[in-house]
Amino acid sequence: MTAHLKKAELHCHVEGAAPPALTMTQAEKYGVATDGFVKDGAYVWNDFTSFIACYDFVASVFRTAEDYTALAEAYLLELAAANTIYSELFISPDHGEAVGLSPDDYVGGLAAGILSAREKTGIECRMVIIGERHLGPENVLARAKWAATFDHPLVTGFNMAGEERMNRVADYAPAFDIVREAGLGITIHAGELCGAFSVADALDLVKPSRIGHGVRAIEDADLVRRLADLGTVLEVCPGSNIALKVFPDYASHPLRRFVEAGVRVTLNSDDPPYFHTSLAQEYETASTVMGFTDAEINAMTRTAIEAAFVDEPTRKALLARL
Ligand SMILES: [Zn+2]
């Protein structure tokens, strides 16, 4: 049982964390049919393309700052109830803009939910701006320029997500140069849908302190050694990997091999209700299915706090709570 373990999460997309029940309420509020995307309290999809379609549908029923406040608060209260002390939420102003919500209102709404959850439970949370890869290099560059000048105490990082098979990392490198210069923490999705080359490209061209997934680096032993030497932190999402068939089953998932190779890893839920998981479930799976001891799991939690995009006093306070 891992319920008693303190937890921390670095990799969760806020729209991807929307509880299906909340999405139903939102759809009703706006008089939108759920179009088969929500059934029996769960999201319906069967491949990456329909996953993205469902995801965009869910995002489309969160339309105001208040809607996003409700979303952030609902998710963080759920995390806090599972003994989570820190969460980083990936947020996508492009989703806000798609429903006519300005980036200020989008971030402001989320921040209100974060502060409310902190007041009620003590959970700390920061936001990481997402550039959407499938919207193309120009769009991600524009998002990076915006993020570099957007000043909000809870926005501390930049990330690129979306369709990894579209374009090459090199096409997006200028965007990361801008946010690095601005002092934002950097992470990037790589090595999930694409193989080891994508992780190598990220290390060469983006120089992130963390990589989202990165698990297909296991295909290249030299690259695994390089990750260990650099101390790059992998935001590993085992339940997501199994649901998206990145690996056929937990027995073939490389998390244990990364740990044995000295790569720094963390446990994350990615888009939890889509993958019928939660952060608590990921911890439980790591323990009961993947065979990690409490001490090994606590080490992953500590790594998450060490790699968090927070100021040093906050990091110290979080480490003291472990
Ligand atoms: Zn992700």
Side-chain angles (χ1 to χ4, degrees):
M1 283 300 289
T2 52
H4 66 290
L5 298 183
K6 292 271 189 349
K7 301 177 182 69
E9 178 166 65
L10 300 180
H11 189 125
C12 179
H13 302 259
V14 72
E15 285 89 359
L22 179 60
T23 297
M24 296 282 275
T25 306
Q26 290 292 125
E28 211 162 287
K29 172 176 169 184
Y30 291 114
V32 179
T34 54
D35 280 340
F37 286 125
V38 192
K39 204 176 165 216
D40 301 330
Y43 294 131
V44 182
W45 57 276
N46 55 37
D47 60 13
F48 196 74
T49 305
S50 61
F51 167 73
I52 293 289
C54 182
Y55 198 95
D56 285 341
F57 167 78
V58 172
S60 77
V61 298
F62 291 87
R63 298 183 179 180
T64 66
E66 293 71 34
D67 292 347
Y68 274 98
T69 300
L71 173 51
E73 186 173 5
Y75 183 61
L76 292 173
L77 292 181
E78 180 189 312
L79 281 187
N83 238 337
T84 308
I85 61 170
Y86 183 72
S87 151
E88 245 165 62
L89 291 175
F90 296 159
I91 70 167
S92 181
D94 290 286
H95 280 304
E97 287 184 345
V99 293
L101 191 60
S102 75
D104 283 325
D105 288 345
Y106 175 80
V107 174
L110 288 164
I114 289 169
L115 294 176
S116 171
R118 180 164 73 185
E119 197 162 300
K120 287 177 181 162
T121 66
I123 188 169
E124 277 290 346
C125 177
R126 296 293 183 272
M127 291 179 269
V128 174
I129 302 289
I130 291 277
E132 300 279 0
R133 184 168 182 153
H134 49 268
L135 297 181
E138 286 303 311
N139 182 287
V140 174
L141 184 65
R143 184 55 66 205
K145 284 178 178 166
W146 173 80
T149 56
F150 185 73
D151 195 20
H152 191 290
L154 297 179
V155 172
T156 54
F158 189 83
N159 184 359
M160 183 165 73
E163 177 49 88
E164 189 184 354
R165 292 165 292 196
M166 193 172 282
N167 305 318
R168 293 293 295 259
V169 173
D171 302 324
Y172 300 92
F176 286 94
D177 291 339
I178 288 169
V179 292
R180 189 183 308 106
E181 187 70 21
L184 289 171
I186 292 180
T187 177
I188 175 172
H189 283 63
E192 178 193 19
L193 301 173
C194 292
F197 77 89
S198 180
V199 176
D201 281 357
L203 292 180
D204 290 340
L205 302 165
V206 172
K207 302 174 188 67
S209 61
R210 306 186 337 218
I211 288 185
H213 300 289
V215 281
R216 288 186 60 190
I218 203 70
E219 295 163 13
D220 179 342
D222 289 339
L223 181 60
V224 172
R225 263 191 298 277
R226 189 175 169 203
L227 286 168
D229 290 346
L230 285 170
T232 310
V233 171
L234 300 188
E235 304 157 3
V236 183
C237 314
S240 162
N241 292 158
I242 301 306
L244 288 173
K245 301 186 173 65
V246 177
F247 302 99
D249 50 38
Y250 285 105
S252 53
H253 193 282
L255 182 57
R256 168 69 68 185
R257 280 176 282 158
F258 281 117
V259 171
E260 284 169 355
V263 177
R264 302 174 76 202
V265 297
T266 61
L267 288 172
N268 305 274
S269 69
D270 205 4
D271 304 285
Y274 289 87
F275 305 136
H276 306 290
T277 189
S278 62
L279 184 63
Q281 181 60 53
E282 294 300 320
Y283 271 68
E284 197 60 24
T285 300
S287 171
T288 59
V289 180
M290 305 178 94
F292 288 101
T293 63
D294 284 4
E296 286 172 322
I297 292 172
N298 285 336
M300 296 183 206
T301 306
R302 176 167 292 271
T303 296
I305 301 298
E306 287 168 354
F309 297 149
V310 289
D311 55 89
E312 294 314 312
T314 304
R315 191 186 325 279
K316 232 178 128 191
L318 288 166
L319 285 170
R321 287 171 70 184
L322 286 185

